[in-house]
Amino acid sequence: MNDKETSLVYVWDAYCGWCYGFSKSIRTLHENHPELPLTLVSGGLFVGHRSLPIKEYPHIPEANKRISQLTGVVYGEAYQELLANGSFVMDSEVAAIGFSALRSIAPERAVYFASSMQHAFYYEGKSLSAVETYREIAIAHNLNPDLVIERTKEKDIINDAYADFTKVHQLNVNSYPTLLLKKGDEYISLGGGAMTAEKLEARLKEILEK
C-alpha cells in the first residue's frame, strides 16, 4: 500500500435518489475500513432556482424504479404519496444545514445521520426542512434533540453547509453520489451510483495497490 495519507470523501445530497440507493454500500465500505477516515460533503443538488416542487422533475418516478431494481432500496408509501401529490419542494440547502447540525455533534457518525435523513424522506415521506424530522433523528441516535435544533440556527453551522457546497465545486464533482479516495493531495474516484460494496472494495484495492 502507498504510504501517502489516505481517506475517503463521499459527496452526497439528502434529496438524491441514487444516494439513497448507495447508502448501504457506503456504510458497508466504511465499516470494513475503520482505518480510512470518511468525510461526507453535501452537494447542494436542489438549491436556488433548482429548489422546486417535485412534480417539476418528471424523471424522478422512473429513476426511482431503476434505483430500486439495481440497489434493492424500498420507497415507502408515505413518500410515494408525496411524489404523486407533486407539490413538495425539495430544498437541499435546508437539508445540508440540518445535516451539518447533526454532524457537528458526532462527526464520526455522519454516514449514519445521512442514512437516517434519507430514510426519513424516501421511506417515511418526511420533510428535511421540518424541525420535527431532526428531532426524531436526534432521538434515534441518542443525541440531545434541542441541541440539534438549536445548532441549525447557528451561523457557523449554516456557514459549514455552504462550505460543503464550495468544496464540491472545488472537487469538480457534479453528479451524486460520488465517492473519492484522497491519497495525499490527489483525489481518485471510486465510483458511485448503483455500485455495490463488493465493487467498491475491488476498486479501492486496485487503487491502493498501485
mmCIF file of all heavy atoms in Angstrom, residues 26 29 34 44 78 81 110 112 119 121 139 144 169 174 179 183:
data_model
loop_
_atom_site.group_PDB
_atom_site.id
_atom_site.type_symbol
_atom_site.label_atom_id
_atom_site.label_comp_id
_atom_site.label_asym_id
_atom_site.label_seq_id
_atom_site.Cartn_x
_atom_site.Cartn_y
_atom_site.Cartn_z
ATOM 1 N N ILE A 26 -22.046 2.431 0.954
ATOM 2 C CA ILE A 26 -21.075 3.315 1.602
ATOM 3 C C ILE A 26 -20.933 2.973 3.086
ATOM 4 O O ILE A 26 -19.828 2.992 3.634
ATOM 5 C CB ILE A 26 -21.417 4.821 1.376
ATOM 6 C CG1 ILE A 26 -20.347 5.741 2.000
ATOM 7 C CG2 ILE A 26 -22.777 5.196 1.890
ATOM 8 C CD1 ILE A 26 -18.971 5.600 1.430
ATOM 9 N N LEU A 29 -18.757 -0.249 3.260
ATOM 10 C CA LEU A 29 -17.350 0.042 2.986
ATOM 11 C C LEU A 29 -16.712 0.743 4.192
ATOM 12 O O LEU A 29 -15.596 0.412 4.595
ATOM 13 C CB LEU A 29 -17.219 0.925 1.738
ATOM 14 C CG LEU A 29 -15.774 1.130 1.254
ATOM 15 C CD1 LEU A 29 -15.253 -0.118 0.540
ATOM 16 C CD2 LEU A 29 -15.679 2.333 0.314
ATOM 17 N N PRO A 34 -12.191 0.802 8.937
ATOM 18 C CA PRO A 34 -12.073 1.811 10.005
ATOM 19 C C PRO A 34 -10.773 2.613 9.932
ATOM 20 O O PRO A 34 -10.671 3.696 10.500
ATOM 21 C CB PRO A 34 -12.148 0.983 11.291
ATOM 22 C CG PRO A 34 -11.789 -0.411 10.884
ATOM 23 C CD PRO A 34 -12.246 -0.569 9.468
ATOM 24 N N GLY A 44 -25.634 19.934 -2.573
ATOM 25 C CA GLY A 44 -26.461 21.068 -2.968
ATOM 26 C C GLY A 44 -27.146 20.861 -4.306
ATOM 27 O O GLY A 44 -27.088 21.695 -5.207
ATOM 28 N N ALA A 78 -45.574 6.532 2.201
ATOM 29 C CA ALA A 78 -45.714 7.960 2.523
ATOM 30 C C ALA A 78 -44.953 8.818 1.516
ATOM 31 O O ALA A 78 -45.435 9.874 1.081
ATOM 32 C CB ALA A 78 -45.231 8.237 3.939
ATOM 33 N N GLU A 81 -46.816 8.814 -1.858
ATOM 34 C CA GLU A 81 -47.944 9.764 -1.822
ATOM 35 C C GLU A 81 -47.445 11.186 -2.057
ATOM 36 O O GLU A 81 -48.076 11.978 -2.761
ATOM 37 C CB GLU A 81 -48.669 9.665 -0.480
ATOM 38 C CG GLU A 81 -49.530 8.414 -0.350
ATOM 39 C CD GLU A 81 -50.028 8.174 1.073
ATOM 40 O OE1 GLU A 81 -49.964 9.121 1.898
ATOM 41 O OE2 GLU A 81 -50.462 7.038 1.363
ATOM 42 N N ALA A 110 -21.410 10.581 10.923
ATOM 43 C CA ALA A 110 -22.050 11.335 9.834
ATOM 44 C C ALA A 110 -22.743 10.447 8.802
ATOM 45 O O ALA A 110 -23.836 10.749 8.339
ATOM 46 C CB ALA A 110 -21.019 12.230 9.138
ATOM 47 N N TYR A 112 -24.183 7.665 9.186
ATOM 48 C CA TYR A 112 -25.438 7.123 9.724
ATOM 49 C C TYR A 112 -26.522 8.202 9.804
ATOM 50 O O TYR A 112 -27.699 7.909 9.608
ATOM 51 C CB TYR A 112 -25.194 6.474 11.089
ATOM 52 C CG TYR A 112 -24.172 5.362 11.001
ATOM 53 C CD1 TYR A 112 -22.865 5.547 11.436
ATOM 54 C CD2 TYR A 112 -24.496 4.139 10.405
ATOM 55 C CE1 TYR A 112 -21.914 4.540 11.304
ATOM 56 C CE2 TYR A 112 -23.554 3.131 10.267
ATOM 57 C CZ TYR A 112 -22.262 3.340 10.719
ATOM 58 O OH TYR A 112 -21.329 2.355 10.579
ATOM 59 N N HIS A 119 -33.735 7.941 4.857
ATOM 60 C CA HIS A 119 -34.832 7.047 5.235
ATOM 61 C C HIS A 119 -36.062 7.869 5.610
ATOM 62 O O HIS A 119 -37.196 7.529 5.238
ATOM 63 C CB HIS A 119 -34.413 6.148 6.398
ATOM 64 C CG HIS A 119 -35.474 5.170 6.809
ATOM 65 N ND1 HIS A 119 -35.683 3.981 6.145
ATOM 66 C CD2 HIS A 119 -36.401 5.217 7.812
ATOM 67 C CE1 HIS A 119 -36.699 3.331 6.715
ATOM 68 N NE2 HIS A 119 -37.140 4.065 7.730
ATOM 69 N N PHE A 121 -36.982 10.747 4.510
ATOM 70 C CA PHE A 121 -37.633 11.290 3.319
ATOM 71 C C PHE A 121 -38.174 10.203 2.406
ATOM 72 O O PHE A 121 -39.367 10.162 2.093
ATOM 73 C CB PHE A 121 -36.663 12.192 2.551
ATOM 74 C CG PHE A 121 -37.253 12.746 1.276
ATOM 75 C CD1 PHE A 121 -38.370 13.555 1.298
ATOM 76 C CD2 PHE A 121 -36.683 12.445 0.041
ATOM 77 C CE1 PHE A 121 -38.939 14.063 0.131
ATOM 78 C CE2 PHE A 121 -37.231 12.945 -1.137
ATOM 79 C CZ PHE A 121 -38.358 13.754 -1.092
ATOM 80 N N ILE A 139 -33.134 11.905 18.438
ATOM 81 C CA ILE A 139 -33.555 10.959 19.481
ATOM 82 C C ILE A 139 -33.131 9.534 19.104
ATOM 83 O O ILE A 139 -32.614 8.787 19.935
ATOM 84 C CB ILE A 139 -35.074 11.060 19.729
ATOM 85 C CG1 ILE A 139 -35.409 12.408 20.394
ATOM 86 C CG2 ILE A 139 -35.577 9.892 20.590
ATOM 87 C CD1 ILE A 139 -36.884 12.771 20.397
ATOM 88 N N ASN A 144 -29.004 14.970 21.918
ATOM 89 C CA ASN A 144 -29.935 15.923 22.532
ATOM 90 C C ASN A 144 -30.706 16.639 21.416
ATOM 91 O O ASN A 144 -30.117 17.422 20.666
ATOM 92 C CB ASN A 144 -29.138 16.932 23.366
ATOM 93 C CG ASN A 144 -30.028 17.965 24.042
ATOM 94 O OD1 ASN A 144 -31.102 18.286 23.562
ATOM 95 N ND2 ASN A 144 -29.554 18.483 25.155
ATOM 96 N N HIS A 169 -17.678 22.140 -5.515
ATOM 97 C CA HIS A 169 -17.255 22.847 -6.729
ATOM 98 C C HIS A 169 -15.743 22.734 -6.915
ATOM 99 O O HIS A 169 -15.263 22.514 -8.028
ATOM 100 C CB HIS A 169 -17.658 24.323 -6.657
ATOM 101 C CG HIS A 169 -19.123 24.546 -6.884
ATOM 102 N ND1 HIS A 169 -19.756 24.198 -8.061
ATOM 103 C CD2 HIS A 169 -20.092 25.062 -6.082
ATOM 104 C CE1 HIS A 169 -21.047 24.488 -7.988
ATOM 105 N NE2 HIS A 169 -21.282 25.006 -6.790
ATOM 106 N N ASN A 174 -19.944 16.866 -10.062
ATOM 107 C CA ASN A 174 -21.270 17.359 -10.456
ATOM 108 C C ASN A 174 -22.299 16.243 -10.589
ATOM 109 O O ASN A 174 -23.361 16.431 -11.177
ATOM 110 C CB ASN A 174 -21.193 18.181 -11.750
ATOM 111 C CG ASN A 174 -20.411 17.474 -12.828
ATOM 112 O OD1 ASN A 174 -20.397 16.242 -12.877
ATOM 113 N ND2 ASN A 174 -19.741 18.233 -13.671
ATOM 114 N N LEU A 179 -17.937 8.884 -4.680
ATOM 115 C CA LEU A 179 -17.022 8.513 -3.606
ATOM 116 C C LEU A 179 -15.596 8.673 -4.115
ATOM 117 O O LEU A 179 -15.231 8.130 -5.153
ATOM 118 C CB LEU A 179 -17.267 7.070 -3.148
ATOM 119 C CG LEU A 179 -16.398 6.586 -1.982
ATOM 120 C CD1 LEU A 179 -16.649 7.403 -0.718
ATOM 121 C CD2 LEU A 179 -16.645 5.107 -1.703
ATOM 122 N N LYS A 183 -5.693 10.584 -1.660
ATOM 123 C CA LYS A 183 -4.385 9.941 -1.488
ATOM 124 C C LYS A 183 -3.336 11.039 -1.574
ATOM 125 O O LYS A 183 -3.006 11.515 -2.656
ATOM 126 C CB LYS A 183 -4.218 8.919 -2.618
ATOM 127 C CG LYS A 183 -3.215 7.814 -2.374
ATOM 128 C CD LYS A 183 -3.334 6.813 -3.528
ATOM 129 C CE LYS A 183 -2.252 5.757 -3.430
ATOM 130 N NZ LYS A 183 -2.260 4.887 -4.607
#
